[in-house]
Amino acid sequence: MTSADRVGSASRPSRRGFLGAAVAAAAAVTGGGLLTACSSGTGRAGGKGGVATGTALQNALPAFVASTLVTPGIPGSNGSTPAFLKFPAELKASVAAKPGKGGSYTFFTPLWGSDPGKGSKYFAAMDEALGIKVNWQLQDGVTYQDKLGAVLAGDSIPDLFCIPGWNINGQIPNAISAKAADLGPHLSGDKAKKYPNLAAIPTDAWKMCMFGGKLRGLPMPNRPLGGVVPYYRADVFAEKGWTLPKTADEFLALAKETTSPAKVWACEDMWWTAQVMFNCVPRTMPGYWKQQDGKLVHLVETDEYVEALSWTQKLYAQGSVHPDSVAGKANDAKTRFTSGQSLIMNDGDVMRGMMNEQAKANPKFRIKPMDSFAHDGGRLELYIGSPAGIFSFLSAKLPAERIEELLAVADYAAAPFGSKEFVLEKFGVEGVHYNRDASGTPCRPTSAPRRSSPPASSSPRRPPPSPGPTSRRPPPTSPTGWAG
């Protein structure tokens, strides 16, 4: 892979960092997305039943029709993500009518956060908008692999089940081929135009949904360069006069300076940042392999990996990592960060959400991302991400009319930024879960209900574990291609 391949060469016109994979499903589950996101590799064609290639593959894929519903402030270029400089004043509908026909379905999905519980006004609003009744089987995302295997091994398959890319290993591809419906008769070629939001999903993302030679999955695309970055408490840094690091050594020095044992720690686990700094082989490389001097070299054999581990060991050894993070309690990282127990953390698209959450409790709270940097302050190489992330599948036991109903629901879930459907999925009900500020941008009301609002942490938080520290962590919201 050349440096040109690594940055900006994605052929897919990534449209949004939130869209349709966990189908309407992950939809309601997430307030940060109906559909969750992450991915584990460069392609999926495994499972029993053969592999589709060439003409057979092209014929199986949905036709691509770009969305023109909302015009971005800065259009995407060479595969980059379009940017919006302000929230659209007038929301447009991306679907013509309520997608569901009154059906009742069971959705089996991971959740990185608290279950909103029964009586959720958000879930009720989504059911009403979708025209179906969803019976949620929400599972702890950290232990999802164990539960997923048991479910797919049984005969009682949920109507819709979500599988993060990093969980598709072992016998899971074969289980998908055996238990997931073939969506080709409903989506291949021009059939996808019946569902314009699904048709607007880039073709490369659909290629990862091929199992056993058939189109079986609904993908959630990733942005070419994802959103997992080191965030820092900008308010605290400004108050203390601390300068952001530009090298690995400067980070260690800053971490040591900002740690007050038993009170404040510099950071959460920074293994993700370490791999970026030292240019480790990302997981977009199949199996963490790369070609070097004419030979295949695995991630753990590289000097970069050893250097990243060594740097991480130093960070831990000097006591700069919060002890709960050392103990593997990754799910509470945001709480420690917002409360001031830790000052730096890796995460995805959390900045706006955290600012809204803290607006009343701590008006001075500010969070900003650091620019990524090379360990020696030199040239940093960033890799484009995998085309898709979490995937959703429909049970092969569903009759054609039920599949069509859920595909219409998935089309609603794939609504683009600036649409009425997106706002409901992302923010909930206006006046209940959010209000609008003077510019028209949704913001959390000061008296927003906590248990009935969209789950604040349902999107993945960290990438799948690569060989290295803290391997039981959840994945990031919008990953690039890096291992976790």
Side-chain angles (χ1 to χ4, degrees):
M1 175 177 283
T2 65
S3 58
D5 295 324
R6 293 186 182 115
V7 181
S9 62
S11 61
R12 57 192 182 285
S14 178
R15 310 182 296 126
R16 45 195 176 269
F18 165 121
L19 103 340
V23 163
V29 178
T30 75
L34 240 69
L35 318 164
T36 26
C38 220
S39 134
S40 71
T42 55
R44 292 261 186 275
K48 297 178 180 178
V51 176
T53 59
T55 302
L57 172 61
Q58 295 306 315
N59 290 340
L61 297 172
F64 173 75
V65 182
S67 174
T68 58
L69 186 72
V70 182
T71 302
I74 303 176
S77 175
N78 193 26
S80 66
T81 305
F84 292 83
L85 304 179
K86 61 181 180 180
F87 204 85
E90 181 180 354
L91 300 178
K92 299 180 180 180
S94 68
V95 298
K98 186 178 295 188
K101 299 179 180 179
S104 180
Y105 297 93
T106 298
F107 287 1
F108 184 88
T109 74
L111 175 68
W112 288 267
S114 301
D115 185 341
K118 295 182 179 180
S120 167
K121 293 181 180 179
Y122 176 72
F123 282 173
M126 288 305 308
D127 281 355
E128 172 62 26
L130 296 172
I132 63 173
K133 170 61 180 176
V134 179
N135 301 303
W136 290 97
Q137 294 183 354
L138 303 176
Q139 310 297 321
D140 183 348
V142 178
T143 59
Y144 193 62
Q145 179 85 50
D146 302 331
K147 297 173 183 177
L148 177 65
V151 168
L152 294 182
D155 294 327
S156 182
I157 302 298
D159 299 312
L160 179 145
F161 51 98
C162 299
I163 306 182
W166 58 93
N167 289 141
I168 300 179
N169 51 51
Q171 293 300 312
I172 297 297
N174 288 335
I176 291 172
S177 295
K179 303 295 178 70
D182 176 9
L183 303 180
H186 310 278
L187 292 177
S188 293
D190 287 344
K191 297 184 184 73
K193 294 179 180 179
K194 180 179 178 181
Y195 312 101
N197 293 329
L198 294 182
I201 294 176
T203 299
D204 283 351
W206 287 109
K207 289 179 180 179
M208 299 184 71
C209 296
M210 299 296 295
F211 291 83
K214 305 291 184 181
L215 181 69
R216 300 186 189 276
L218 294 162
M220 178 171 180
N222 288 332
R223 295 196 300 269
L225 291 177
V228 177
V229 296
Y231 288 100
Y232 69 100
R233 283 290 301 271
D235 53 333
V236 178
F237 270 61
E239 178 185 344
K240 301 291 186 180
W242 293 326
T243 303
L244 296 180
K246 295 182 179 180
T247 68
D249 287 342
E250 288 181 8
F251 192 109
L252 289 175
L254 173 69
K256 192 170 185 179
E257 177 187 357
T258 57
T259 297
S260 300
K263 185 178 180 181
V264 177
W265 287 263
C267 57
E268 299 293 323
D269 173 69
M270 302 304 293
W271 177 234
W272 180 283
T273 291
Q275 290 178 95
V276 174
M277 285 194 299
F278 289 94
N279 194 32
C280 291
V281 178
R283 59 191 172 82
T284 46
M285 300 290 201
Y288 301 109
W289 293 90
K290 73 172 183 178
Q291 192 174 38
Q292 182 173 299
D293 299 327
K295 298 179 180 179
L296 284 177
V297 179
H298 192 268
L299 165 67
V300 298
E301 299 177 289
T302 62
D303 292 339
E304 294 88 351
Y305 181 77
V306 174
E307 291 170 351
L309 277 178
S310 176
W311 181 87
T312 302
Q313 188 275 333
K314 293 177 183 177
L315 185 68
Y316 274 72
Q318 70 182 29
S320 298
V321 181
H322 195 287
D324 284 350
S325 184
V326 176
K329 298 178 181 178
N331 281 351
D332 298 326
K334 285 208 308 180
T335 299
R336 295 190 291 268
F337 182 80
T338 55
S339 66
Q341 296 180 50
S342 58
L343 303 174
I344 305 172
M345 69 170 189
N346 287 320
D347 215 320
D349 299 336
V350 300
M351 186 165 67
R352 176 180 294 176
M354 294 179 74
M355 289 287 288
N356 286 340
E357 290 173 1
Q358 296 298 312
K360 182 178 181 181
N362 182 6
K364 294 183 179 180
F365 177 88
R366 294 291 183 273
I367 173 178
K368 289 185 178 180
M370 293 185 188
D371 285 337
S372 296
F373 52 85
H375 68 97
D376 59 358
R379 180 175 180 270
L380 176 68
E381 292 186 338
L382 295 175
Y383 292 77
I384 58 174
S386 296
I390 280 181
F391 305 85
S392 290
F393 303 89
L394 307 185
S395 170
K397 295 182 179 181
L398 291 172
E401 62 271 16
R402 300 262 286 171
I403 290 177
E404 291 281 348
E405 184 175 22
L406 283 181
L407 288 178
V409 168
D411 188 56
Y412 186 111
F417 176 86
S419 66
K420 293 179 179 179
E421 297 81 13
F422 175 90
V423 171
L424 176 60
E425 297 163 10
K426 179 73 173 180
F427 300 105
V429 179
E430 185 170 3
V432 177
H433 304 114
Y434 75 94
N435 291 325
R436 293 180 182 272
D437 62 18
S439 68
T441 302
C443 60
R444 182 183 294 278
T446 55
S447 59
R450 301 298 300 177
R451 290 291 294 172
S452 62
S453 61
S457 221
S458 51
S459 300
R461 293 296 167 217
R462 293 214 182 140
S466 66
T470 55
S471 63
R472 292 296 289 175
R473 300 170 297 177
T477 302
S478 299
T480 52
W482 296 95

